[in-house]
Amino acid sequence: MTQPEIYPLEGTIRESGRKESDKLREELRIPAVLYGPKQKDNVHFSINESDLEKILSRSETKLQTLTVDGKDYRTLLKDVDFHPVTDRVLHADFYVLESDIPVTLKVPIRLTGTAIGVRDGGGRVFQPMRIVDIKVLPDSIPSQFEVDITNLEIGDSIHVGDLDMEDAVALDDDSRTIVTIAPPKSEALFTSSIPTEEEEIAAEDVELEEGEELEEGEEPVEGDDDEEEEDKK
C-alpha cells in the first residue's frame, strides 16, 4: 500500500447555473463544487482544465491541497463527470477531509512481478477485479494497492482478503478474486474438448436410441419396433 501524492490546486469562486458553467468550459475551466461533513455550505468554484487533467492522468487515489477564496482545504477528488462523446471533463466534486471522520473510496489495484505460472508454464494472468472499495481515515488513505504475483503458479489466485489493508477496511467481500493464473489457452481448449466418462456413456445411449445395431447376441428390449409392428397386426 503506497501513500498518495498531494496536488496543489487553485480554485476561483463562480456563480452556479448552466449558462455560467458552459461559459467556464469555453474558457477551459471546469465547474466544481466543494462539500464535506463539517462544511456548512457547498462552495462553487472552477479550476483550470489542464490542472485537473494532470490529476486524472494517473490511475491512483487523488488528494489535493485546494485553495479557494484565500482558504486552504485538504480534499479528495470524489467524483468526475465526463462528456459521453468527447470524454471531456464536465464537472468535478471535491470532498473536504476531516482527520477524525472515515471516508469511503475506490482504490486501484496494480499487479507487480511476473508469475511463475506465466514464466515457466505459459499461463495467463486474469484480473477480474481492478478496484477495491474501502473505508479509512484520511491520514491512512492509500494511493493504490500493489499485489505481487511473482510466486503464483497456474491455478493460484489472490483474493480481497489477502490484501494488506493496514488501517483500512475492505467493503468488498474477502472471497472476491483479484487475480488468478489461468492455464495456457491451447491447453484449456484441449482439455475442454475431451469428453468425460459420463458424457461418453450419454453419447452411447443416444446413438442406440437413434437406431444403432445391437451387438451380436443382444436381445431387443421391450417396446422395440418389431414388437410394436406385431401388435398392430
Side-chain angles (χ1 to χ4, degrees):
M1 190 168 76
T2 56
Q3 296 300 312
E5 293 184 30
I6 308 298
Y7 293 84
L9 282 179
E10 291 283 343
T12 302
I13 293 292
R14 67 178 174 91
E15 295 181 4
S16 59
R18 183 171 181 177
K19 288 185 178 179
E20 178 66 19
S21 294
D22 289 342
K23 180 181 178 182
L24 286 168
R25 296 187 190 102
E26 290 177 359
E27 299 171 353
L28 302 182
R29 295 189 63 83
I30 302 300
V33 63
L34 180 74
Y35 66 97
K38 297 183 180 181
Q39 191 71 22
K40 184 177 179 181
D41 298 310
N42 291 351
V43 178
H44 298 272
F45 65 100
S46 67
I47 55 175
N48 285 328
E49 184 174 7
S50 58
D51 290 340
L52 187 57
E53 287 180 346
K54 290 177 182 178
I55 297 175
L56 296 176
S57 65
R58 299 180 63 178
S59 179
E60 60 181 26
T61 305
K62 288 88 177 173
L63 298 183
Q64 306 80 34
T65 299
L66 176 64
T67 302
V68 180
D69 199 24
K71 187 175 181 179
D72 294 334
Y73 302 89
R74 184 187 180 197
T75 64
L76 166 71
L77 178 58
K78 191 71 171 176
D79 192 28
V80 179
D81 293 331
F82 296 91
H83 191 282
V85 178
T86 65
D87 207 32
R88 184 184 177 189
V89 176
L90 297 178
H91 189 274
D93 291 351
F94 290 85
Y95 178 88
V96 181
L97 297 169
E98 302 291 345
S99 59
D100 59 338
I101 299 178
V103 61
T104 59
L105 68 155
K106 299 179 182 294
V107 179
I109 301 171
R110 186 173 75 89
L111 304 184
T112 62
T114 300
I116 294 174
V118 173
R119 186 187 65 217
D120 298 339
R124 297 170 294 147
V125 177
F126 177 54
Q127 186 181 1
M129 187 174 181
R130 298 177 182 273
I131 292 176
V132 61
D133 292 326
I134 68 169
K135 185 175 183 179
V136 65
L137 287 170
D139 290 340
S140 300
I141 290 177
S143 63
Q144 60 186 6
F145 288 102
E146 293 187 354
V147 176
D148 186 1
I149 64 172
T150 302
N151 296 323
L152 296 187
E153 299 183 3
I154 291 176
D156 288 346
S157 300
I158 292 178
H159 305 88
V160 170
D162 299 319
L163 291 175
D164 181 9
M165 286 284 171
E166 296 186 10
D167 297 324
V169 176
L171 300 181
D172 293 296
D173 194 286
D174 284 351
S175 63
R176 286 193 61 185
T177 299
I178 294 174
V179 59
T180 188
I181 306 302
K185 192 170 184 180
S186 58
E187 179 182 335
L189 291 173
F190 175 73
T191 55
S192 65
S193 66
I194 299 177
T196 64
E197 182 178 351
E198 292 78 6
E199 291 173 334
E200 289 180 343
I201 293 174
E204 290 175 359
D205 291 343
V206 170
E207 290 176 353
L208 288 175
E209 289 174 3
E210 293 179 349
E212 180 179 299
E213 293 183 3
L214 298 173
E215 296 289 339
E216 184 177 352
E218 285 187 280
E219 295 293 334
V221 296
E222 184 177 353
D224 272 5
D225 291 343
D226 290 343
E227 293 184 5
E228 291 179 3
E229 290 297 326
E230 185 66 25
D231 291 339
K232 292 178 182 177
K233 292 182 180 179

